[in-house]
Amino acid sequence: MPAPKTRWKRRKEARPQELTAAALELFVERGFAATRLDEIAARAGVSKGTLYLYFESKEDLFKAVIREGLLPLLAEGEELMASMPGSASELFRAIVLRWWEIVGEGPIGGIPKLIFAEARNFPEIARFYADEVIERGKRLFVAVFQRGIDSGEFRPFDPQALVHIVISPLIMRVIWKHSLDCCGVTNVPIDAYLREYLDLTLRGLRRDPA
Amino acid sequence: MPAPKTRWKRRKEARPQELTAAALELFVERGFAATRLDEIAARAGVSKGTLYLYFESKEDLFKAVIREGLLPLLAEGEELMASMPGSASELFRAIVLRWWEIVGEGPIGGIPKLIFAEARNFPEIARFYADEVIERGKRLFVAVFQRGIDSGEFRPFDPQALVHIVISPLIMRVIWKHSLDCCGVTNVPIDAYLREYLDLTLRGLRRDPA
DNA sequence: CCTATATTACTGACCGGTCAGTTATATATA
DNA sequence: TATATATAACTGACCGGTCAGTAATATAGG
């Protein structure tokens, strides 16, 4: 096995993706301010100078991470919604479980924590996230609620007023996973958590037995 | 109007409290890493050197802030619980509303965001918070749930499994207040939020009409 | 096909600014 | 006056961002 004869390769296409991937991991682990560009570059197998060939500042890189991580996710979420028939309860259940599969298990799940933690220091990021992610996510759930209300499956309520409340336990769970979980502070096992969450929430939403 | 003839006073007793108060505000606003000790000292009307007479490091100050902010709060919470008669629903409602009064409106409410944001970088703080605050808080709600289950007011369920889920919307609300709210990203008005939260949750917990 | 020349992705040392923590000095109070 | 308390100038490490130079690749001419 000969030692590699080149110190590095030219890989213009792959670099940005590798850099945002490394950045996502580190930003989630340490937060925006505490993450060093040297370290991101090192994890991507590249030097800090190279990073500046592809992104014009640390904040620009941060934005790229958010965009790249979330836009595909949102697209998938919307396809899922459109293609799913059945009762509102089943739809809700399916969306929640799929959401956990993608967000809960993947590295993207670190983004909510990142956003809430850094929002005050980077307001324009927070607003971007609010417009592109939170607003679209809310529309999805509001549509599900409305389907259930229209069909008489759910009691009549204002879907807008309940979205935040209903999805809080999901967001909190993913924040927990990327903060306290990492310090050995455990939560209820995820299976039980999701089961009980769905049960509690659907009981709270369903129509009163007249 | 004469210039003040003394440049400063000796106020050994008052300093620590003034410093932790200033530190709480700034840590909540900016996060731990982004807060400058110079600025904390300035806000407390003192110099940075003075700060080091009372706290041995930035992290030590951070711990003091957490301790001082939370221990009295927990004490009050427990008194409240003990002194409150009535049905489990009413007890739950009262605790939640009182909690919002204290935590939601006061500066202490910034602490949860701070903890989740900094947990990975300061694991020993996270563990302290978990042991002293989260565990005690959970005990409170578990006791309420148990009262409701025993009296037949709530359906039978495992209180431990539901605590996290049930309190998530409260924690999320207070985190939101100290992050996205500050960037103009609004949430549902708090009155409606609490009303709908209580309604949804109590519907989810109550016994099935046989 | 070979090699000289041009191109550009990439490196890593460096700079200016920042900030936690220290210390020499000054002042208030007993 | 003695000393506890407070100040402010200082230090040294760190980090985002820059840039002169280097090495890998593309290509043109023989």
Side-chain angles (χ1 to χ4, degrees):
Chain A
M1 180 107 189
K5 55 167 176 294
T6 62
R7 296 210 288 135
W8 46 266
K9 293 256 191 195
R10 299 170 76 170
R11 299 175 55 242
K12 189 180 168 61
E13 316 307 322
R15 297 301 191 208
Q17 224 283 349
E18 292 168 358
L19 284 164
T20 51
L24 171 60
E25 285 178 30
L26 282 163
F27 284 152
V28 167
E29 271 173 43
R30 308 219 213 293
F32 180 73
T35 299
R36 269 93 63 160
L37 292 183
D38 278 313
E39 207 174 348
I40 292 174
R43 190 171 294 200
V46 114
S47 74
K48 188 168 64 168
T50 300
L51 205 157
Y52 277 89
L53 297 174
Y54 297 102
F55 304 96
E56 64 182 31
S57 67
K58 190 185 191 183
E59 189 169 330
D60 184 47
L61 173 63
F62 188 52
K63 286 180 185 169
V65 167
I66 303 292
R67 273 176 226 273
E68 185 180 308
L70 291 173
L71 297 188
L73 174 66
L74 282 162
E76 166 154 5
E78 280 154 6
E79 286 167 32
L80 195 79
M81 166 74 187
S83 68
M84 193 104 58
S87 75
S89 298
E90 280 316 308
L91 179 57
F92 180 74
R93 212 181 284 273
I95 290 179
V96 166
L97 293 177
R98 181 79 181 123
W99 179 88
W100 182 260
E101 245 174 30
I102 304 172
V103 179
E105 307 294 350
I108 298 304
I111 291 184
K113 184 201 106 178
L114 197 53
I115 294 293
F116 285 105
E118 309 283 353
R120 273 183 99 153
N121 297 71
F122 301 91
E124 73 291 356
I125 298 276
R127 273 188 292 271
F128 166 78
Y129 186 82
D131 294 343
E132 298 294 320
V133 183
I134 296 178
E135 207 46 53
R136 278 169 79 178
K138 276 164 67 175
R139 271 200 292 278
L140 200 68
F141 280 95
V142 164
V144 177
F145 293 164
Q146 197 58 58
R147 189 194 286 191
I149 295 167
D150 291 345
S151 73
E153 193 180 349
F154 293 162
R155 62 188 163 91
F157 59 85
D158 176 7
Q160 291 290 344
L162 284 193
V163 213
H164 282 94
I165 296 164
V166 168
I167 66 184
S168 282
L170 297 174
I171 308 298
M172 269 310 298
R173 211 355 159 136
V174 94
I175 291 177
W176 190 292
K177 179 182 173 178
H178 289 273
S179 55
L180 296 181
D181 254 358
C182 305
C183 317
V185 181
T186 58
N187 203 320
V188 174
I190 186 62
D191 296 6
Y193 190 92
L194 290 175
R195 188 180 59 244
E196 296 298 334
Y197 163 71
L198 286 167
D199 184 39
L200 181 78
T201 304
L202 290 172
R203 282 169 182 272
L205 293 180
R206 73 187 178 193
R207 198 183 41 187
D208 295 307
Chain B
M1 177 113 188
K5 58 170 175 293
T6 62
R7 295 209 291 141
W8 45 267
K9 295 251 192 194
R10 297 170 71 172
R11 301 176 53 244
K12 188 180 168 59
E13 317 306 322
R15 296 299 191 209
Q17 225 284 348
E18 291 167 0
L19 285 164
T20 52
L24 171 60
E25 285 178 31
L26 284 162
F27 283 151
V28 167
E29 270 173 45
R30 306 219 214 295
F32 180 73
T35 299
R36 325 270 147 245
L37 292 181
D38 280 312
E39 207 173 348
I40 293 173
R43 190 171 292 200
V46 114
S47 74
K48 187 170 65 167
T50 300
L51 205 157
Y52 278 88
L53 296 174
Y54 298 100
F55 304 96
E56 66 183 29
S57 69
K58 190 185 190 184
E59 190 170 327
D60 184 47
L61 173 62
F62 188 52
K63 287 179 186 172
V65 167
I66 303 292
R67 275 175 224 272
E68 184 180 309
L70 291 171
L71 297 188
L73 173 67
L74 280 161
E76 166 153 4
E78 280 154 5
E79 286 167 33
L80 195 78
M81 165 74 186
S83 68
M84 192 106 57
S87 75
S89 299
E90 279 316 307
L91 179 57
F92 181 73
R93 212 180 284 274
I95 289 180
V96 166
L97 294 177
R98 181 77 182 125
W99 180 87
W100 183 261
E101 247 174 28
I102 304 172
V103 179
E105 307 294 350
I108 298 304
I111 291 184
K113 185 199 104 179
L114 197 53
I115 294 292
F116 285 105
E118 309 284 354
R120 273 182 98 154
N121 297 71
F122 300 92
E124 71 294 356
I125 298 276
R127 272 188 292 271
F128 166 78
Y129 185 81
D131 294 344
E132 297 296 318
V133 183
I134 296 179
E135 208 46 54
R136 278 170 79 177
K138 276 165 67 177
R139 272 201 291 277
L140 198 68
F141 280 94
V142 165
V144 177
F145 294 164
Q146 197 59 57
R147 189 195 286 191
I149 294 166
D150 291 346
S151 73
E153 192 180 349
F154 293 161
R155 63 186 162 92
F157 58 85
D158 175 8
Q160 291 290 342
L162 284 193
V163 214
H164 282 94
I165 296 164
V166 168
I167 66 183
S168 282
L170 298 173
I171 308 297
M172 269 310 299
R173 210 358 157 133
V174 93
I175 291 177
W176 190 292
K177 180 181 173 179
H178 290 274
S179 57
L180 296 180
D181 255 357
C182 304
C183 317
V185 181
T186 57
N187 203 320
V188 175
I190 186 62
D191 296 6
Y193 190 92
L194 290 175
R195 188 179 60 244
E196 295 298 335
Y197 163 70
L198 287 167
D199 184 38
L200 181 79
T201 303
L202 291 172
R203 282 170 182 273
L205 293 180
R206 74 188 176 192
R207 198 182 42 187
D208 296 306

